[in-house]
Amino acid sequence: MPSKEHHRIFRSNWLRAAVLGANDGIVSTASLIGGVAAASGGQHAILTAGLAGLIAGALSMAAGEYVSVKSQSDVEHADLRLEQRSLKGNSAMELEELTEIYIARGLTRELAGQVARALTAHDALDAHARDELGISVSSRARPVQAAFASACSFAGGALVPLLLALALPASWLLGGVIAGSVAGLALLGVVAAWAGGAPKRIAALRVTVLGALAMAITAGVGSLFGAAR
């Protein structure tokens, strides 16, 4: 017997939000800490900035993700209500519309009609949502889930540079935070690629290079402000 396939599309909703949140948490918090440290900020100022960045970033990510995904959810519900009214008011036209969809996918008219009638009898709205509107159970917008995943993953990512800043001596802080955060980004890229079934090396390189560039630019700006004092 062949082994059962394990598809990853069902992870797409929460995985996107989690990866975005963790990546943003590492990069933004490390950049903030690096910028303050490069501007010759004291240990207290650095840790305060990092903690404030963690809290503010997690709340901002949660609110932004919720609003964004809720807008998508509202559109989906509006389309489903419209489809439900159309099914009640003109079921024959909707049945023909579903039949034409299956014909376009390669079925004969006779078979397409049989499939359309069977699916309509089982759950007409589900059939039209999936095959006409492209709305399926796996792709439905879930605002609360996305907001929670973004907030938690941002906080988890932000803890990496924050804990490094807390543990490292002042002389090693800037370089240590950047190096540790880059390593965290590489690990995030590998984990995200593993969860999504993508090439691990390319994913790790992508997030590492972009994140390191953002941190280097911010540290450079901080150095300029520090030199100007």
Side-chain angles (χ1 to χ4, degrees):
M1 291 290 291
S3 60
K4 185 178 180 180
E5 296 176 325
H6 295 283
H7 296 289
R8 296 173 172 85
I9 188 64
F10 303 103
R11 302 174 180 175
S12 60
N13 278 329
W14 64 263
L15 182 60
R16 179 193 62 82
V19 171
L20 175 63
N23 182 81
D24 197 18
I26 294 174
V27 173
S28 63
T29 307
S31 298
L32 183 60
I33 290 173
V36 175
S40 302
Q43 184 84 359
H44 179 73
I46 292 170
L47 294 177
T48 300
L51 183 59
L54 185 156
I55 296 171
L59 294 177
S60 176
M61 284 291 294
E65 193 71 17
Y66 180 84
V67 170
S68 174
V69 179
K70 188 65 171 69
S71 298
Q72 178 187 342
S73 178
D74 290 342
V75 171
E76 290 177 354
H77 282 92
D79 274 352
L80 289 173
R81 287 193 298 269
L82 180 64
E83 195 64 29
Q84 183 70 69
R85 288 195 297 268
S86 184
L87 285 168
K88 290 180 179 179
N90 200 340
S91 58
M93 186 185 75
E94 290 295 329
L95 180 61
E96 178 61 23
E97 187 175 35
L98 201 59
T99 301
E100 292 294 336
I101 290 173
Y102 298 141
I103 291 173
R105 292 181 181 176
L107 300 184
T108 64
R109 173 165 287 279
E110 180 182 1
L111 182 55
Q114 292 175 356
V115 173
R117 287 191 294 272
L119 292 177
T120 298
H122 175 69
D123 190 334
L125 183 59
D126 178 70
H128 282 270
R130 182 180 60 251
D131 295 322
E132 181 184 347
L133 304 177
I135 301 173
S136 64
V137 173
S138 63
S139 64
R140 289 287 296 274
R142 295 177 175 85
V144 175
Q145 181 192 63
F148 183 76
S150 291
C152 291
S153 58
F154 183 97
L159 279 175
V160 173
L162 186 58
L163 291 177
L164 286 170
L166 186 63
L168 292 170
S171 57
W172 293 4
L173 193 146
L174 179 58
V177 166
I178 292 178
S181 297
V182 168
L185 286 171
L187 179 60
L188 173 64
V190 170
V191 172
W194 170 80
K200 299 181 181 64
R201 185 176 300 177
I202 295 175
L205 183 63
R206 180 171 58 239
V207 297
T208 300
V209 170
L210 294 176
L213 181 62
M215 287 183 278
I217 292 173
T218 309
V221 172
S223 297
L224 292 176
F225 278 97
R229 291 196 310 173

Short mmCIF file of all heavy atoms in Angstrom, two decimals, residues 103-177:
data_model
loop_
_atom_site.label_atom_id
_atom_site.label_comp_id
_atom_site.label_asym_id
_atom_site.label_seq_id
_atom_site.Cartn_x
_atom_site.Cartn_y
_atom_site.Cartn_z
N ILE A 103 -17.62 21.24 -16.72
CA ILE A 103 -17.34 21.02 -18.14
C ILE A 103 -16.02 21.68 -18.53
O ILE A 103 -15.20 21.11 -19.24
CB ILE A 103 -18.49 21.56 -19.01
CG1 ILE A 103 -19.76 20.70 -18.81
CG2 ILE A 103 -18.10 21.58 -20.49
CD1 ILE A 103 -20.98 21.26 -19.51
N ALA A 104 -15.81 22.90 -18.03
CA ALA A 104 -14.57 23.63 -18.32
C ALA A 104 -13.35 22.91 -17.75
O ALA A 104 -12.24 23.08 -18.24
CB ALA A 104 -14.66 25.04 -17.75
N ARG A 105 -13.58 22.08 -16.74
CA ARG A 105 -12.47 21.33 -16.14
C ARG A 105 -12.22 20.00 -16.82
O ARG A 105 -11.33 19.25 -16.42
CB ARG A 105 -12.74 21.11 -14.65
CG ARG A 105 -12.70 22.39 -13.83
CD ARG A 105 -12.95 22.11 -12.37
NE ARG A 105 -12.93 23.35 -11.60
CZ ARG A 105 -13.20 23.42 -10.30
NH1 ARG A 105 -13.48 22.31 -9.63
NH2 ARG A 105 -13.18 24.57 -9.67
N GLY A 106 -13.03 19.68 -17.85
CA GLY A 106 -12.75 18.49 -18.64
C GLY A 106 -13.79 17.40 -18.60
O GLY A 106 -13.63 16.37 -19.26
N LEU A 107 -14.88 17.57 -17.83
CA LEU A 107 -15.92 16.54 -17.78
C LEU A 107 -16.88 16.69 -18.96
O LEU A 107 -17.05 17.80 -19.50
CB LEU A 107 -16.71 16.63 -16.47
CG LEU A 107 -15.93 16.45 -15.17
CD1 LEU A 107 -16.89 16.48 -13.98
CD2 LEU A 107 -15.13 15.17 -15.16
N THR A 108 -17.49 15.59 -19.35
CA THR A 108 -18.54 15.67 -20.36
C THR A 108 -19.75 16.34 -19.73
O THR A 108 -19.89 16.40 -18.50
CB THR A 108 -18.94 14.27 -20.84
OG1 THR A 108 -19.49 13.53 -19.74
CG2 THR A 108 -17.73 13.53 -21.40
N ARG A 109 -20.66 16.86 -20.59
CA ARG A 109 -21.84 17.53 -20.05
C ARG A 109 -22.67 16.58 -19.18
O ARG A 109 -23.17 16.99 -18.12
CB ARG A 109 -22.69 18.12 -21.16
CG ARG A 109 -24.05 18.68 -20.69
CD ARG A 109 -24.71 19.55 -21.70
NE ARG A 109 -24.02 20.85 -21.79
CZ ARG A 109 -24.22 21.86 -20.95
NH1 ARG A 109 -25.04 21.73 -19.92
NH2 ARG A 109 -23.58 22.98 -21.12
N GLU A 110 -22.79 15.35 -19.61
CA GLU A 110 -23.61 14.41 -18.84
C GLU A 110 -23.01 14.16 -17.46
O GLU A 110 -23.70 14.21 -16.44
CB GLU A 110 -23.73 13.08 -19.60
CG GLU A 110 -24.57 12.04 -18.86
CD GLU A 110 -24.63 10.72 -19.61
OE1 GLU A 110 -24.01 10.60 -20.69
OE2 GLU A 110 -25.29 9.79 -19.10
N LEU A 111 -21.70 13.89 -17.44
CA LEU A 111 -21.03 13.63 -16.16
C LEU A 111 -21.00 14.89 -15.30
O LEU A 111 -21.19 14.83 -14.08
CB LEU A 111 -19.61 13.12 -16.40
CG LEU A 111 -18.80 12.74 -15.15
CD1 LEU A 111 -19.55 11.72 -14.30
CD2 LEU A 111 -17.41 12.24 -15.54
N ALA A 112 -20.75 16.04 -15.93
CA ALA A 112 -20.72 17.30 -15.19
C ALA A 112 -22.07 17.58 -14.54
O ALA A 112 -22.15 18.03 -13.40
CB ALA A 112 -20.33 18.45 -16.12
N GLY A 113 -23.17 17.28 -15.27
CA GLY A 113 -24.50 17.46 -14.72
C GLY A 113 -24.75 16.54 -13.54
O GLY A 113 -25.35 16.94 -12.53
N GLN A 114 -24.28 15.30 -13.63
CA GLN A 114 -24.45 14.35 -12.53
C GLN A 114 -23.69 14.81 -11.29
O GLN A 114 -24.22 14.76 -10.18
CB GLN A 114 -23.96 12.97 -12.97
CG GLN A 114 -24.82 12.31 -14.04
CD GLN A 114 -24.20 10.99 -14.52
OE1 GLN A 114 -23.11 10.62 -14.10
NE2 GLN A 114 -24.91 10.30 -15.41
N VAL A 115 -22.47 15.25 -11.51
CA VAL A 115 -21.65 15.73 -10.39
C VAL A 115 -22.27 16.96 -9.75
O VAL A 115 -22.37 17.08 -8.52
CB VAL A 115 -20.21 16.03 -10.85
CG1 VAL A 115 -19.40 16.69 -9.74
CG2 VAL A 115 -19.53 14.76 -11.31
N ALA A 116 -22.72 17.90 -10.59
CA ALA A 116 -23.32 19.13 -10.07
C ALA A 116 -24.58 18.84 -9.27
O ALA A 116 -24.80 19.41 -8.19
CB ALA A 116 -23.63 20.08 -11.22
N ARG A 117 -25.41 17.94 -9.78
CA ARG A 117 -26.65 17.61 -9.05
C ARG A 117 -26.36 16.89 -7.73
O ARG A 117 -26.98 17.17 -6.71
CB ARG A 117 -27.56 16.74 -9.94
CG ARG A 117 -28.22 17.51 -11.07
CD ARG A 117 -29.30 16.68 -11.76
NE ARG A 117 -28.72 15.53 -12.45
CZ ARG A 117 -28.27 15.56 -13.71
NH1 ARG A 117 -28.33 16.71 -14.40
NH2 ARG A 117 -27.77 14.50 -14.29
N ALA A 118 -25.36 16.00 -7.74
CA ALA A 118 -25.01 15.27 -6.53
C ALA A 118 -24.45 16.20 -5.46
O ALA A 118 -24.82 16.12 -4.27
CB ALA A 118 -24.01 14.16 -6.85
N LEU A 119 -23.55 17.10 -5.86
CA LEU A 119 -22.96 18.02 -4.90
C LEU A 119 -23.97 19.04 -4.41
O LEU A 119 -23.94 19.46 -3.24
CB LEU A 119 -21.75 18.73 -5.53
CG LEU A 119 -20.53 17.84 -5.81
CD1 LEU A 119 -19.44 18.65 -6.49
CD2 LEU A 119 -20.01 17.22 -4.52
N THR A 120 -24.89 19.45 -5.28
CA THR A 120 -25.94 20.38 -4.87
C THR A 120 -26.87 19.74 -3.86
O THR A 120 -27.28 20.38 -2.88
CB THR A 120 -26.73 20.85 -6.10
OG1 THR A 120 -25.85 21.56 -6.99
CG2 THR A 120 -27.87 21.77 -5.70
N ALA A 121 -27.18 18.48 -4.08
CA ALA A 121 -28.04 17.77 -3.13
C ALA A 121 -27.36 17.59 -1.78
O ALA A 121 -27.99 17.64 -0.73
CB ALA A 121 -28.44 16.41 -3.70
N HIS A 122 -26.05 17.41 -1.83
CA HIS A 122 -25.30 17.20 -0.58
C HIS A 122 -25.14 18.50 0.20
O HIS A 122 -25.47 18.58 1.40
CB HIS A 122 -23.93 16.61 -0.89
CG HIS A 122 -23.04 16.48 0.31
ND1 HIS A 122 -23.30 15.58 1.32
CD2 HIS A 122 -21.90 17.14 0.67
CE1 HIS A 122 -22.37 15.69 2.25
NE2 HIS A 122 -21.51 16.63 1.87
N ASP A 123 -24.62 19.54 -0.46
CA ASP A 123 -24.42 20.85 0.18
C ASP A 123 -24.17 21.86 -0.94
O ASP A 123 -23.03 22.06 -1.38
CB ASP A 123 -23.25 20.82 1.15
CG ASP A 123 -23.16 22.08 2.01
OD1 ASP A 123 -23.63 23.14 1.56
OD2 ASP A 123 -22.62 22.00 3.13
N ALA A 124 -25.25 22.50 -1.37
CA ALA A 124 -25.16 23.40 -2.52
C ALA A 124 -24.22 24.58 -2.26
O ALA A 124 -23.40 24.94 -3.11
CB ALA A 124 -26.55 23.91 -2.89
N LEU A 125 -24.33 25.18 -1.08
CA LEU A 125 -23.51 26.35 -0.80
C LEU A 125 -22.03 25.98 -0.74
O LEU A 125 -21.18 26.72 -1.25
CB LEU A 125 -23.93 26.99 0.53
CG LEU A 125 -23.20 28.27 0.91
CD1 LEU A 125 -23.38 29.34 -0.15
CD2 LEU A 125 -23.67 28.78 2.27
N ASP A 126 -21.71 24.84 -0.15
CA ASP A 126 -20.32 24.41 -0.07
C ASP A 126 -19.75 24.17 -1.46
O ASP A 126 -18.60 24.54 -1.75
CB ASP A 126 -20.21 23.14 0.77
CG ASP A 126 -18.78 22.63 0.85
OD1 ASP A 126 -17.96 23.28 1.51
OD2 ASP A 126 -18.49 21.58 0.24
N ALA A 127 -20.53 23.55 -2.33
CA ALA A 127 -20.07 23.27 -3.70
C ALA A 127 -19.78 24.56 -4.45
O ALA A 127 -18.75 24.68 -5.13
CB ALA A 127 -21.12 22.44 -4.45
N HIS A 128 -20.68 25.54 -4.35
CA HIS A 128 -20.47 26.81 -5.05
C HIS A 128 -19.34 27.62 -4.41
O HIS A 128 -18.59 28.31 -5.12
CB HIS A 128 -21.77 27.61 -5.07
CG HIS A 128 -22.75 27.13 -6.09
ND1 HIS A 128 -22.77 27.60 -7.38
CD2 HIS A 128 -23.72 26.19 -6.01
CE1 HIS A 128 -23.73 26.99 -8.06
NE2 HIS A 128 -24.32 26.12 -7.25
N ALA A 129 -19.24 27.57 -3.08
CA ALA A 129 -18.16 28.29 -2.40
C ALA A 129 -16.80 27.78 -2.86
O ALA A 129 -15.89 28.56 -3.16
CB ALA A 129 -18.30 28.15 -0.90
N ARG A 130 -16.68 26.47 -2.95
CA ARG A 130 -15.39 25.87 -3.31
C ARG A 130 -15.08 26.02 -4.80
O ARG A 130 -13.99 26.43 -5.18
CB ARG A 130 -15.41 24.40 -2.92
CG ARG A 130 -14.09 23.67 -3.19
CD ARG A 130 -14.17 22.20 -2.78
NE ARG A 130 -15.22 21.50 -3.51
CZ ARG A 130 -16.36 21.08 -2.97
NH1 ARG A 130 -16.62 21.31 -1.69
NH2 ARG A 130 -17.27 20.44 -3.70
N ASP A 131 -16.05 25.69 -5.66
CA ASP A 131 -15.76 25.58 -7.09
C ASP A 131 -16.05 26.86 -7.88
O ASP A 131 -15.48 27.06 -8.95
CB ASP A 131 -16.56 24.42 -7.69
CG ASP A 131 -16.13 23.08 -7.12
OD1 ASP A 131 -14.92 22.90 -6.90
OD2 ASP A 131 -16.99 22.22 -6.88
N GLU A 132 -16.92 27.70 -7.37
CA GLU A 132 -17.21 28.97 -8.06
C GLU A 132 -16.42 30.13 -7.47
O GLU A 132 -15.87 30.97 -8.19
CB GLU A 132 -18.70 29.27 -8.00
CG GLU A 132 -19.09 30.55 -8.72
CD GLU A 132 -20.57 30.89 -8.56
OE1 GLU A 132 -21.36 30.02 -8.12
OE2 GLU A 132 -20.95 32.04 -8.88
N LEU A 133 -16.37 30.19 -6.13
CA LEU A 133 -15.74 31.31 -5.46
C LEU A 133 -14.30 31.03 -5.02
O LEU A 133 -13.56 31.96 -4.67
CB LEU A 133 -16.56 31.73 -4.23
CG LEU A 133 -18.03 32.07 -4.50
CD1 LEU A 133 -18.75 32.39 -3.20
CD2 LEU A 133 -18.14 33.25 -5.46
N GLY A 134 -13.92 29.76 -4.99
CA GLY A 134 -12.57 29.42 -4.55
C GLY A 134 -12.38 29.51 -3.05
O GLY A 134 -11.26 29.70 -2.56
N ILE A 135 -13.47 29.38 -2.29
CA ILE A 135 -13.41 29.44 -0.83
C ILE A 135 -13.55 28.02 -0.29
O ILE A 135 -14.59 27.39 -0.47
CB ILE A 135 -14.53 30.33 -0.25
CG1 ILE A 135 -14.42 31.75 -0.81
CG2 ILE A 135 -14.46 30.34 1.26
CD1 ILE A 135 -15.58 32.65 -0.40
N SER A 136 -12.52 27.53 0.38
CA SER A 136 -12.56 26.18 0.95
C SER A 136 -12.30 26.25 2.44
O SER A 136 -11.91 27.29 2.98
CB SER A 136 -11.52 25.28 0.28
OG SER A 136 -10.22 25.75 0.55
N VAL A 137 -12.49 25.13 3.10
CA VAL A 137 -12.29 25.07 4.55
C VAL A 137 -10.85 25.42 4.90
O VAL A 137 -10.58 26.14 5.87
CB VAL A 137 -12.64 23.67 5.08
CG1 VAL A 137 -12.28 23.55 6.55
CG2 VAL A 137 -14.12 23.38 4.88
N SER A 138 -9.89 24.93 4.10
CA SER A 138 -8.48 25.16 4.41
C SER A 138 -8.03 26.59 4.17
O SER A 138 -7.04 27.04 4.75
CB SER A 138 -7.61 24.21 3.59
OG SER A 138 -7.76 24.46 2.21
N SER A 139 -8.74 27.32 3.30
CA SER A 139 -8.30 28.67 2.95
C SER A 139 -9.16 29.77 3.56
O SER A 139 -8.92 30.94 3.30
CB SER A 139 -8.28 28.84 1.43
OG SER A 139 -9.60 28.72 0.89
N ARG A 140 -10.17 29.39 4.35
CA ARG A 140 -11.03 30.41 4.95
C ARG A 140 -10.24 31.30 5.89
O ARG A 140 -9.36 30.86 6.62
CB ARG A 140 -12.17 29.75 5.74
CG ARG A 140 -13.23 29.09 4.88
CD ARG A 140 -14.12 30.10 4.18
NE ARG A 140 -14.89 30.90 5.09
CZ ARG A 140 -16.08 30.53 5.59
NH1 ARG A 140 -16.60 29.36 5.27
NH2 ARG A 140 -16.73 31.33 6.39
N ALA A 141 -10.53 32.59 5.86
CA ALA A 141 -9.84 33.55 6.71
C ALA A 141 -10.25 33.35 8.17
O ALA A 141 -11.44 33.24 8.47
CB ALA A 141 -10.17 34.97 6.26
N ARG A 142 -9.27 33.31 9.06
CA ARG A 142 -9.53 33.15 10.50
C ARG A 142 -8.81 34.28 11.24
O ARG A 142 -7.64 34.12 11.61
CB ARG A 142 -9.05 31.78 10.97
CG ARG A 142 -9.83 30.63 10.35
CD ARG A 142 -9.27 29.28 10.80
NE ARG A 142 -10.09 28.17 10.30
CZ ARG A 142 -9.96 27.61 9.12
NH1 ARG A 142 -9.05 28.09 8.28
NH2 ARG A 142 -10.73 26.62 8.74
N PRO A 143 -9.46 35.41 11.45
CA PRO A 143 -8.80 36.59 12.01
C PRO A 143 -8.19 36.36 13.39
O PRO A 143 -7.06 36.79 13.64
CB PRO A 143 -9.93 37.64 12.06
CG PRO A 143 -10.94 37.16 11.08
CD PRO A 143 -10.87 35.68 11.09
N VAL A 144 -8.94 35.72 14.29
CA VAL A 144 -8.43 35.53 15.66
C VAL A 144 -7.21 34.62 15.65
O VAL A 144 -6.21 34.89 16.33
CB VAL A 144 -9.54 34.95 16.56
CG1 VAL A 144 -8.98 34.64 17.95
CG2 VAL A 144 -10.70 35.94 16.69
N GLN A 145 -7.27 33.55 14.89
CA GLN A 145 -6.13 32.62 14.79
C GLN A 145 -4.90 33.34 14.24
O GLN A 145 -3.79 33.18 14.76
CB GLN A 145 -6.49 31.44 13.90
CG GLN A 145 -5.38 30.42 13.77
CD GLN A 145 -5.64 29.40 12.66
OE1 GLN A 145 -5.72 29.76 11.49
NE2 GLN A 145 -5.79 28.14 13.03
N ALA A 146 -5.09 34.13 13.20
CA ALA A 146 -3.97 34.85 12.58
C ALA A 146 -3.38 35.88 13.54
O ALA A 146 -2.16 36.03 13.64
CB ALA A 146 -4.44 35.53 11.30
N ALA A 147 -4.25 36.61 14.27
CA ALA A 147 -3.77 37.62 15.21
C ALA A 147 -2.99 36.97 16.35
O ALA A 147 -1.92 37.46 16.74
CB ALA A 147 -4.96 38.41 15.77
N PHE A 148 -3.51 35.87 16.88
CA PHE A 148 -2.84 35.18 17.99
C PHE A 148 -1.49 34.62 17.54
O PHE A 148 -0.48 34.76 18.23
CB PHE A 148 -3.74 34.05 18.50
CG PHE A 148 -3.17 33.31 19.68
CD1 PHE A 148 -3.19 33.88 20.94
CD2 PHE A 148 -2.61 32.06 19.52
CE1 PHE A 148 -2.66 33.21 22.04
CE2 PHE A 148 -2.08 31.37 20.60
CZ PHE A 148 -2.11 31.95 21.87
N ALA A 149 -1.46 34.02 16.36
CA ALA A 149 -0.21 33.46 15.83
C ALA A 149 0.82 34.56 15.61
O ALA A 149 2.01 34.39 15.93
CB ALA A 149 -0.47 32.71 14.53
N SER A 150 0.39 35.70 15.08
CA SER A 150 1.32 36.80 14.82
C SER A 150 1.89 37.38 16.12
O SER A 150 3.10 37.63 16.21
CB SER A 150 0.60 37.91 14.04
OG SER A 150 0.30 37.48 12.74
N ALA A 151 1.01 37.59 17.11
CA ALA A 151 1.47 38.17 18.38
C ALA A 151 2.44 37.24 19.09
O ALA A 151 3.51 37.67 19.56
CB ALA A 151 0.27 38.46 19.28
N CYS A 152 2.09 35.97 19.18
CA CYS A 152 2.95 35.00 19.88
C CYS A 152 4.29 34.82 19.16
O CYS A 152 5.35 34.77 19.79
CB CYS A 152 2.24 33.66 20.01
SG CYS A 152 0.84 33.69 21.15
N SER A 153 4.23 34.72 17.83
CA SER A 153 5.47 34.50 17.09
C SER A 153 6.35 35.75 17.11
O SER A 153 7.58 35.64 17.17
CB SER A 153 5.16 34.10 15.64
OG SER A 153 4.38 35.08 15.00
N PHE A 154 5.75 36.94 17.09
CA PHE A 154 6.54 38.16 17.19
C PHE A 154 7.25 38.20 18.54
O PHE A 154 8.45 38.50 18.61
CB PHE A 154 5.66 39.40 17.02
CG PHE A 154 6.43 40.69 17.05
CD1 PHE A 154 6.80 41.32 15.87
CD2 PHE A 154 6.81 41.28 18.24
CE1 PHE A 154 7.53 42.50 15.88
CE2 PHE A 154 7.54 42.46 18.27
CZ PHE A 154 7.90 43.07 17.09
N ALA A 155 6.50 37.94 19.61
CA ALA A 155 7.10 37.96 20.94
C ALA A 155 8.21 36.92 21.06
O ALA A 155 9.27 37.20 21.65
CB ALA A 155 6.02 37.72 22.00
N GLY A 156 7.98 35.74 20.50
CA GLY A 156 9.01 34.70 20.54
C GLY A 156 10.25 35.11 19.78
O GLY A 156 11.38 34.90 20.24
N GLY A 157 10.06 35.72 18.62
CA GLY A 157 11.21 36.18 17.85
C GLY A 157 11.94 37.32 18.54
O GLY A 157 13.18 37.36 18.57
N ALA A 158 11.19 38.25 19.14
CA ALA A 158 11.80 39.40 19.79
C ALA A 158 12.60 39.00 21.03
O ALA A 158 13.53 39.72 21.43
CB ALA A 158 10.71 40.41 20.18
N LEU A 159 12.24 37.88 21.64
CA LEU A 159 12.97 37.42 22.82
C LEU A 159 14.42 37.06 22.50
O LEU A 159 15.28 37.14 23.38
CB LEU A 159 12.27 36.21 23.44
CG LEU A 159 11.07 36.50 24.34
CD1 LEU A 159 10.41 35.20 24.77
CD2 LEU A 159 11.51 37.30 25.57
N VAL A 160 14.68 36.66 21.26
CA VAL A 160 16.06 36.25 20.89
C VAL A 160 17.03 37.41 21.09
O VAL A 160 17.99 37.29 21.87
CB VAL A 160 16.10 35.71 19.44
CG1 VAL A 160 17.53 35.45 19.01
CG2 VAL A 160 15.27 34.45 19.32
N PRO A 161 16.85 38.56 20.42
CA PRO A 161 17.80 39.66 20.65
C PRO A 161 17.70 40.26 22.05
O PRO A 161 18.70 40.74 22.60
CB PRO A 161 17.41 40.69 19.58
CG PRO A 161 16.01 40.37 19.23
CD PRO A 161 15.87 38.90 19.37
N LEU A 162 16.50 40.23 22.64
CA LEU A 162 16.34 40.82 23.97
C LEU A 162 17.12 40.02 25.02
O LEU A 162 17.80 40.60 25.88
CB LEU A 162 14.85 40.88 24.33
CG LEU A 162 14.50 41.62 25.63
CD1 LEU A 162 14.99 43.06 25.59
CD2 LEU A 162 12.99 41.59 25.86
N LEU A 163 17.03 38.71 24.97
CA LEU A 163 17.77 37.87 25.92
C LEU A 163 19.28 37.96 25.68
O LEU A 163 20.07 37.93 26.64
CB LEU A 163 17.31 36.42 25.81
CG LEU A 163 15.87 36.14 26.30
CD1 LEU A 163 15.50 34.69 26.07
CD2 LEU A 163 15.73 36.50 27.78
N LEU A 164 19.66 38.09 24.42
CA LEU A 164 21.08 38.28 24.12
C LEU A 164 21.59 39.59 24.71
O LEU A 164 22.68 39.65 25.29
CB LEU A 164 21.31 38.27 22.61
CG LEU A 164 21.22 36.90 21.92
CD1 LEU A 164 21.21 37.08 20.40
CD2 LEU A 164 22.38 36.02 22.35
N ALA A 165 20.81 40.64 24.58
CA ALA A 165 21.19 41.95 25.13
C ALA A 165 21.28 41.89 26.65
O ALA A 165 22.11 42.57 27.27
CB ALA A 165 20.20 43.01 24.69
N LEU A 166 20.43 41.09 27.25
CA LEU A 166 20.42 40.95 28.71
C LEU A 166 21.63 40.16 29.20
O LEU A 166 22.19 40.43 30.27
CB LEU A 166 19.13 40.26 29.15
CG LEU A 166 18.86 40.15 30.65
CD1 LEU A 166 18.73 41.53 31.28
CD2 LEU A 166 17.61 39.33 30.91
N ALA A 167 22.06 39.17 28.40
CA ALA A 167 23.12 38.27 28.86
C ALA A 167 24.52 38.75 28.50
O ALA A 167 25.47 38.44 29.22
CB ALA A 167 22.89 36.88 28.25
N LEU A 168 24.66 39.49 27.43
CA LEU A 168 25.99 39.86 26.95
C LEU A 168 26.54 41.08 27.67
O LEU A 168 25.79 42.01 28.01
CB LEU A 168 25.95 40.13 25.44
CG LEU A 168 25.68 38.92 24.54
CD1 LEU A 168 25.44 39.38 23.11
CD2 LEU A 168 26.85 37.95 24.60
N PRO A 169 27.86 41.14 27.88
CA PRO A 169 28.47 42.37 28.43
C PRO A 169 28.40 43.50 27.42
O PRO A 169 28.25 43.27 26.21
CB PRO A 169 29.92 41.95 28.70
CG PRO A 169 30.16 40.79 27.79
CD PRO A 169 28.84 40.08 27.66
N ALA A 170 28.52 44.72 27.90
CA ALA A 170 28.35 45.89 27.04
C ALA A 170 29.31 45.89 25.86
O ALA A 170 28.94 46.30 24.75
CB ALA A 170 28.53 47.16 27.87
N SER A 171 30.52 45.41 26.05
CA SER A 171 31.52 45.44 24.98
C SER A 171 31.18 44.48 23.83
O SER A 171 31.63 44.68 22.71
CB SER A 171 32.90 45.09 25.54
OG SER A 171 32.87 43.81 26.17
N TRP A 172 30.40 43.45 24.11
CA TRP A 172 30.04 42.47 23.09
C TRP A 172 28.60 42.62 22.62
O TRP A 172 28.16 41.89 21.73
CB TRP A 172 30.20 41.05 23.64
CG TRP A 172 31.61 40.64 23.93
CD1 TRP A 172 32.75 41.41 23.82
CD2 TRP A 172 32.04 39.36 24.38
NE1 TRP A 172 33.85 40.70 24.18
CE2 TRP A 172 33.45 39.42 24.53
CE3 TRP A 172 31.39 38.18 24.69
CZ2 TRP A 172 34.21 38.34 24.97
CZ3 TRP A 172 32.14 37.09 25.12
CH2 TRP A 172 33.53 37.18 25.26
N LEU A 173 27.87 43.55 23.19
CA LEU A 173 26.43 43.58 23.00
C LEU A 173 26.02 43.77 21.54
O LEU A 173 25.23 42.98 21.01
CB LEU A 173 25.81 44.67 23.88
CG LEU A 173 24.29 44.62 24.03
CD1 LEU A 173 23.88 45.10 25.41
CD2 LEU A 173 23.61 45.49 22.98
N LEU A 174 26.54 44.78 20.90
CA LEU A 174 26.10 45.08 19.53
C LEU A 174 26.42 43.93 18.58
O LEU A 174 25.53 43.43 17.87
CB LEU A 174 26.76 46.37 19.04
CG LEU A 174 26.40 46.81 17.61
CD1 LEU A 174 24.90 46.98 17.46
CD2 LEU A 174 27.14 48.10 17.25
N GLY A 175 27.65 43.49 18.56
CA GLY A 175 28.03 42.39 17.67
C GLY A 175 27.34 41.10 18.03
O GLY A 175 26.91 40.34 17.15
N GLY A 176 27.21 40.84 19.33
CA GLY A 176 26.57 39.60 19.78
C GLY A 176 25.10 39.54 19.44
O GLY A 176 24.59 38.49 19.03
N VAL A 177 24.39 40.65 19.61
CA VAL A 177 22.96 40.69 19.29
C VAL A 177 22.74 40.49 17.79
O VAL A 177 21.86 39.72 17.38
CB VAL A 177 22.33 42.02 19.75
CG1 VAL A 177 20.96 42.23 19.12
CG2 VAL A 177 22.22 42.04 21.27
#
